[in-house]
Amino acid sequence: ISGLGDSIIKINGTAIDPNYVAYPVTIGRDGQAFFPVTVPVNSDLVSSIGVPISVIDSVGRTSSGSFIINKPRLTISPDTGLKGSYISVNGSDFVANNAAIGHRYQIDIAYAGSEIKTIYPDSFGNFQTMVKVPVDVKSGKSYGVTAKLSQLTMQAEAIHSIPPAELIVTPAVLEPGKSIVITGSGFPNNDPIKRVWIGGVSVVRPLVATDSTGYFTISVRVPENTRLGRNSVSVDTTYFSLATTVEVVAD
């Protein structure tokens, strides 16, 4: 297969030049030839599944077949996490980079439509990276994480979920007059704590606000006259309120 005139290799009907196969290709005495071919990168091929390939040797003999273009895949771990947390993003079957061409192809990673990182796939079209979940997303919602080839319309998507806002009270069982620690996550970012309620009674609160990811931790004292049994503990900020249920027992 000389690579000249009609003696050529074609992929998807297009002749493959010496950048993708080392011509001439010698046919063995048994009529067989084994040789590597680099698949070109173009919009037609990346959007295809079954791609035809054909060969004509220098004496006019022809052969044809087809191969499958894998579709890119994206996975994330963990698939649920807080604002500002880190997730592992893993892509496979994208366009391959290699030493001969350098880092020609790049992948843009976006969270909820906003680009947050650029990564280069390896010689197998795979990549792995860590990204930070944006702090301006909403708790209790799910968002798309996309990896898109910058040069062509090739992309894959995975879904990441932000858990609802949560209050954790320590210890789990309260005693009147004792101090407790209240930890909150998923609240509005940088929002001052306005009121803390235990059993419907407002308690003295420290001067504190949620951080840039909506997290806070405070220590308060349980009122002496808090009734025993099931009670609510609630925290109010400027724009948000959340409550949980606790058990109050006698000392």
Side-chain angles (χ1 to χ4, degrees):
I1 309 167
S2 67
L4 302 173
D6 291 334
S7 179
I8 202 80
I9 299 167
K10 293 183 178 180
I11 292 180
N12 207 30
T14 300
I16 301 304
D17 64 40
N19 290 318
Y20 299 96
V21 63
Y23 293 111
V25 176
T26 302
I27 308 298
R29 291 182 179 276
D30 59 358
Q32 298 187 71
F34 298 93
F35 53 93
V37 176
T38 299
V39 179
V41 180
N42 58 59
S43 57
D44 289 336
L45 288 181
V46 299
S47 61
S48 300
I49 298 177
V51 178
I53 181 170
S54 61
V55 175
I56 303 177
D57 70 10
S58 55
V59 295
R61 292 175 296 190
T62 64
S63 182
S64 63
S66 65
F67 60 91
I68 294 174
I69 299 287
N70 291 334
K71 292 303 178 184
R73 294 175 295 170
L74 191 70
T75 59
I76 58 175
S77 179
D79 56 10
T80 299
L82 297 172
K83 298 181 290 183
S85 63
Y86 283 86
I87 57 176
S88 174
V89 180
N90 302 277
S92 59
D93 294 329
F94 282 81
V95 174
N97 283 312
N98 58 58
I101 65 173
H103 285 166
R104 179 179 298 174
Y105 303 106
Q106 69 180 37
I107 303 293
D108 296 325
I109 299 175
Y111 191 105
S114 297
E115 185 178 326
I116 56 177
K117 194 170 190 178
T118 295
I119 195 75
Y120 296 95
D122 62 18
S123 58
F124 297 97
N126 305 329
F127 67 85
Q128 180 178 1
T129 189
M130 299 293 293
V131 300
K132 186 177 182 179
V133 177
V135 298
D136 57 352
V137 294
K138 302 294 185 182
S139 298
K141 293 184 177 295
S142 295
Y143 297 91
V145 179
T146 58
K148 182 182 183 299
L149 184 66
S150 297
Q151 295 87 342
L152 296 168
T153 56
M154 171 186 274
Q155 75 172 45
E157 182 180 41
I159 301 299
H160 184 257
S161 299
I162 309 296
E166 183 181 28
L167 284 179
I168 297 176
V169 180
T170 307
V173 177
L174 313 188
E175 297 179 15
K178 298 293 182 65
S179 292
I180 62 172
V181 174
I182 303 173
T183 301
S185 61
F187 277 61
N189 304 343
N190 304 307
D191 194 8
I193 305 297
K194 294 294 187 180
R195 286 173 297 277
V196 178
W197 305 81
I198 299 178
V201 177
S202 181
V203 300
V204 176
R205 59 171 177 80
L207 298 176
V208 69
T210 64
D211 68 10
S212 61
T213 68
Y215 174 89
F216 70 89
T217 181
I218 55 176
S219 177
V220 298
R221 185 175 298 276
V222 180
E224 295 281 359
N225 60 347
T226 302
R227 64 180 178 83
L228 304 183
R230 304 290 284 175
N231 281 271
S232 68
V233 173
S234 63
V235 176
D236 298 344
T237 70
T238 307
Y239 304 106
F240 190 75
S241 179
L242 187 65
T244 189
T245 302
V246 295
E247 186 77 19
V248 179
V249 299
D251 187 356

